[in-house]
Amino acid sequence: MIDVTLEQFIPAFLLTLFAGLSTGFGALIAFFSKNKSHTFLSIGLGFSAGVMVYVSFVEILSKSKIAFSTIYESPIIGESLALVCFFGGISISALIDRLIPDDVNPHEPKSNKELSVLKEGSQHSLLKDSALKRTGIFTALAIGIHNFPEGFATFIAALDNIHIGLTIALAIAIHNIPEGMAVSLPIYHATGNRKSAFWYAFISGLAEPVGALVGFFLLLPIMGELTLGITFGIVAGIMVYISFDELLPSARVYGNAHTTILGIVLGMMVMAVSLVVLKLI
């Protein structure tokens, strides 16, 4: 078993908590922002995708291969097992998406009218108040389910390397901002109650630290090279799925192809430079 000290646990958990609770920040932006341009948010979402895709393939998946190779003393076996876990992580995320109805899944493409509510905070509801409130509540539940494995991925990455964990936590936090908007706006327009809408968005983000704790305490008793290999492979798959299924489509919705690719390149560049700097320290 691999020992985890309190000095490692607390910063990793706090980063995961910060990432999850940024849904509340998204709710605040939705309520008080008068700027209908979401160019910065589009770049930020693309940036998050660039960070997560780069670190998944360059760093985290490599750690999975190394852990498996240490056990089996064969690079081919190590790489094969890491890839199995990687695609297993993608499958887990896809299964979660599959189990959530499309009409409340925050990661499903929206119609132009629905997007106008999320992007512009339109006061004209598309649904009756009761149905609109139901949409917001079920969206909060859907986001909570999605955030569970995201919290686990952020926490494990931060536990292994706090610097990489910080970057990933920031990427997840940016990604959670529009999710907070997706929860809060329908509830706000149905009830007129900002406080209630904010708390629904805020609480939906708590699934991330809960996911971190559940994953940690389940794995801690059996933590070793084999467990690390499996975990890192799955985490890499989850992060790549999040990037392609959630972040990039959202970046296009809130901006365009140019803002999206700008964010991706900036995210990859920042992650690449930070990894080089870490090796020099």
Side-chain angles (χ1 to χ4, degrees):
M1 187 179 84
I2 295 177
D3 292 328
V4 176
T5 66
L6 196 61
E7 288 76 13
Q8 291 174 296
F9 178 88
I10 292 177
F13 179 75
L14 289 177
L15 285 176
T16 308
L17 183 65
F18 157 74
L21 297 187
S22 61
T23 53
F25 184 60
L28 293 177
I29 290 178
F31 295 148
F32 301 110
S33 176
K34 295 181 180 179
N35 182 8
K36 297 182 180 180
S37 172
H38 289 76
T39 299
F40 183 76
L41 180 57
S42 174
I43 295 173
L45 291 167
F47 179 92
S48 299
V51 165
M52 294 174 69
V53 169
Y54 189 91
V55 76
S56 294
F57 285 118
V58 174
E59 191 74 11
I60 298 178
L61 187 58
S62 296
K63 288 181 180 293
S64 178
K65 295 176 184 177
I66 292 171
F68 280 122
S69 299
T70 301
I71 300 171
Y72 296 101
E73 299 181 354
S74 169
I76 295 177
I77 294 177
E79 183 168 355
S80 299
L81 291 174
L83 290 175
V84 168
C85 294
F86 172 77
F87 288 107
I90 291 177
S91 300
I92 290 171
S93 298
L95 178 62
I96 291 173
D97 258 355
R98 181 71 176 174
L99 294 175
I100 297 175
D102 291 351
D103 60 339
V104 296
N105 191 332
H107 305 141
E108 288 298 320
K110 308 294 182 185
S111 68
N112 289 334
K113 289 185 177 180
E114 289 173 314
L115 286 175
S116 70
V117 171
L118 294 181
K119 292 174 70 176
E120 300 178 14
S122 171
Q123 297 296 324
H124 304 290
S125 63
L126 304 173
L127 306 170
K128 292 181 180 179
D129 287 351
S130 59
L132 195 58
K133 183 177 180 181
R134 174 186 174 277
T135 297
I137 293 172
F138 275 89
T139 299
L141 291 174
I143 287 173
I145 294 170
H146 278 90
N147 284 355
F148 195 85
E150 291 175 15
F152 173 69
T154 306
F155 181 75
I156 292 298
L159 204 59
D160 178 69
N161 187 313
I162 193 64
H163 300 288
I164 293 176
L166 176 61
T167 309
I168 293 173
L170 179 60
I172 291 288
I174 295 172
H175 145 255
N176 281 346
I177 289 174
E179 292 191 346
M181 297 168 65
V183 172
S184 61
L185 282 173
I187 295 174
Y188 170 58
H189 292 311
T191 65
N193 189 328
R194 281 195 176 99
K195 186 176 180 180
S196 175
F198 169 81
W199 282 113
Y200 272 109
F202 185 83
I203 291 172
S204 71
L206 288 177
E208 296 221 2
V210 170
L213 290 176
V214 171
F216 175 75
F217 286 112
L218 285 177
L219 292 176
L220 183 61
I222 57 172
M223 192 68 78
E225 291 297 331
L226 179 60
T227 311
L228 286 176
I230 295 172
T231 302
F232 282 128
I234 291 175
V235 165
I238 290 172
M239 291 174 60
V240 168
Y241 185 91
I242 291 169
S243 300
F244 287 108
D245 183 65
E246 303 174 23
L247 296 177
L248 294 181
S250 295
R252 289 294 299 268
V253 165
Y254 288 98
N256 54 49
H258 299 294
T259 56
T260 302
I261 193 65
L262 174 61
I264 292 171
V265 173
L266 288 174
M268 288 186 171
M269 183 172 64
V270 168
M271 195 71 249
V273 171
S274 66
L275 289 176
V276 172
V277 170
L278 287 175
K279 291 177 182 177
L280 295 176
I281 296 177

